[in-house]
């Protein structure tokens, strides 16, 4: 490893940690799943940097499966909590699924051929946008019904 690579990796870890703290819901299940999704994004980034197209695409497929599982558990938690805007939140999940399908379709061949791609920024934007716009919407409700806490 070159001397500057360690600083860059540490800097990315700090950035991820800051991001995780800014989107923290306070529910251990949801926060853990959010962290796992970002770790998968980091893996995708590492494969892109190393020009490992097939591994990149495999990690992207894994991200989709993880996201599906996250949506299911999140919807169940929100249903149990009696979240009043659950239908709208589920609708957001459907929109995200479609956005991700489009992103993966556009990037599939580029990943496999180790060509430059803008997949990672697209994937990151889709997830962060949902966490900030969608998931922050229910944070206070989960706290109110004792299904989340600030120390999470």
């Amino acid at each position: 490893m070159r001397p500057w690579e360690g600083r860059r990796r540490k800097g990315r870890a700090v950035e991820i940690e800051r991001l995780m703290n800014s989107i923290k819901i306070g529910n251990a299940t949801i926060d853990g799943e959010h962290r796992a999704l970002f770790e998968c994004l980091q893996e995708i980034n590492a494969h892109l940097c190393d020009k490992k197209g097939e591994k990149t695409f495999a990690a992207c497929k894994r991200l989709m499966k993880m996201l599906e599982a996250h949506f299911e558990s999140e919807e169940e938690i929100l249903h149990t909590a009696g979240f009043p805007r659950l239908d709208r939140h589920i609708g957001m999940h459907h929109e995200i699924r479609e956005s991700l399908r489009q992103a993966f379709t556009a990037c599939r061949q580029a990943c496999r051929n180790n060509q430059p791609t803008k997949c990672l920024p697209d994937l990151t934007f889709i997830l962060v946008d949902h966490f900030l716009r969608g998931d922050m919407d229910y944070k206070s409700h989960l706290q109110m019904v004792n299904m989340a806490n600030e120390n999470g």
Side-chain angles (χ1 to χ4, degrees), residues 83 89 92 129-138:
F83 182 59
H89 196 82
M92 292 176 87
D129 182 60
H130 176 65
F131 295 159
L132 294 175
R133 282 188 319 113
D135 293 0
M136 288 296 131
D137 182 40
Y138 64 72

Side-chain angles (χ1 to χ4, degrees), residues 121-133:
D122 289 349
L123 295 174
T124 303
F125 175 80
I126 291 167
L127 291 179
V128 171
D129 182 60
H130 176 65
F131 295 159
L132 294 175
R133 282 188 319 113

Side-chain angles (χ1 to χ4, degrees), residues 12 38 55 81 89 120:
R12 282 190 202 122
F38 275 102
K55 287 185 177 185
H89 196 82
L120 189 64

Side-chain angles (χ1 to χ4, degrees), residues 54-67:
E54 285 297 327
K55 287 185 177 185
T56 302
F57 191 69
C60 286
K61 289 193 309 190
R62 192 168 54 261
L63 178 71
M64 281 292 281
K65 288 180 183 176
M66 291 170 64
L67 198 56

Side-chain angles (χ1 to χ4, degrees), residues 20-71:
M20 292 309 305
N21 286 332
S22 70
I23 63 168
K24 194 172 196 177
I25 299 299
N27 179 283
T29 299
I30 293 171
D31 290 337
E33 290 172 355
H34 285 173
R35 178 172 293 284
L37 289 165
F38 275 102
E39 288 171 356
C40 191
L41 283 173
Q42 286 180 301
E43 180 184 347
I44 291 167
N45 183 55
H47 292 318
L48 283 170
C49 290
D50 293 340
K51 296 190 185 270
K52 295 181 179 175
E54 285 297 327
K55 287 185 177 185
T56 302
F57 191 69
C60 286
K61 289 193 309 190
R62 192 168 54 261
L63 178 71
M64 281 292 281
K65 288 180 183 176
M66 291 170 64
L67 198 56
E68 280 299 323
H70 169 65
F71 286 165

